[in-house]
Amino acid sequence: MNVPVSIDRQRACQARCPSRETLARWVARTLDELGAQGPGAGEVTVRYVEPGESRELNAQFRHKDRPTNVLSFPAADEPGELMKLPGADRPYLGDLVICPAIVEREAAEQGKSRRSHHAHMAVHGILHLLGYDHLTDEEAEQMESIEIRVLASLGYPDPYT
């Protein structure tokens, strides 16, 4: 599969994780929905971690002493800005840290498939890397509507129903 994104997939956990190709498809579809598709659309690091590492990062960067499903670390200083690393042919969007144990627990609790919830967390994280947020009702509505459209185009149900 030739998609205009590059994924650095890191596994620091024992859980089954989506493949690099699957992640690239989810990221490419998200970028396409935003009109950001094209040659060299972007590069992302996705690190899959155990709950302990998720908890440490969440405590350090968000001051919340518990593991979480996804953490986003944008490469750019300003929301929506793209950063090009020296020698790179694509903009670097940033890093996502996903905790499969939390994602899968949430999927079970919410009656969702494991795969659809993993897709949702990847799409959600990419939107954060691109400057989207959900701190206000208006921001949440905008972000959720993008997530719903992207996930539907990938064959996944509305994650909010």
Side-chain angles (χ1 to χ4, degrees):
M1 170 184 278
N2 184 19
V3 293
V5 295
S6 175
I7 303 292
D8 176 17
R9 178 179 166 266
Q10 302 173 357
R11 281 189 61 206
C13 66
Q14 296 300 311
R16 287 186 358 221
C17 304
S19 69
R20 181 177 285 113
E21 294 77 19
T22 297
L23 286 166
R25 192 172 70 252
W26 293 342
V27 172
R29 184 61 202 104
T30 305
L31 295 174
D32 189 46
E33 178 64 33
L34 299 171
Q37 199 67 281
E43 185 174 339
V44 177
T45 297
V46 181
R47 180 173 173 83
Y48 287 99
V49 301
E50 297 289 354
E53 185 174 342
S54 175
R55 179 183 179 187
E56 288 174 21
L57 292 168
N58 202 23
Q60 181 179 353
F61 292 101
R62 296 181 64 227
H63 310 292
K64 296 182 180 186
D65 192 17
R66 63 180 183 271
T68 190
N69 48 25
V70 61
L71 292 165
S72 301
F73 299 96
D77 292 330
E78 296 297 320
E81 188 178 277
L82 294 179
M83 180 179 160
K84 193 103 176 226
L85 297 175
D89 50 336
R90 304 168 196 250
Y92 190 70
L93 303 178
D95 303 339
L96 296 181
V97 176
I98 299 175
C99 182
I102 300 297
V103 173
E104 292 173 20
R105 186 193 76 213
E106 290 173 346
E109 290 170 355
Q110 298 168 18
K112 298 175 181 176
S113 78
R114 173 189 169 279
R115 188 169 181 88
S116 69
H117 199 44
H118 270 282
H120 182 209
M121 292 302 96
V123 171
H124 186 86
I126 291 299
L127 291 176
H128 277 308
L129 293 182
L130 296 172
Y132 289 86
D133 216 329
H134 45 81
L135 298 175
T136 68
D137 289 343
E138 186 177 290
E139 288 175 339
E141 186 177 313
Q142 179 187 31
M143 192 168 174
E144 289 171 11
S145 70
I146 296 168
E147 291 168 345
I148 291 166
R149 287 194 310 272
V150 169
L151 292 168
S153 75
L154 292 164
Y156 300 114
D158 180 342
Y160 296 103
T161 57

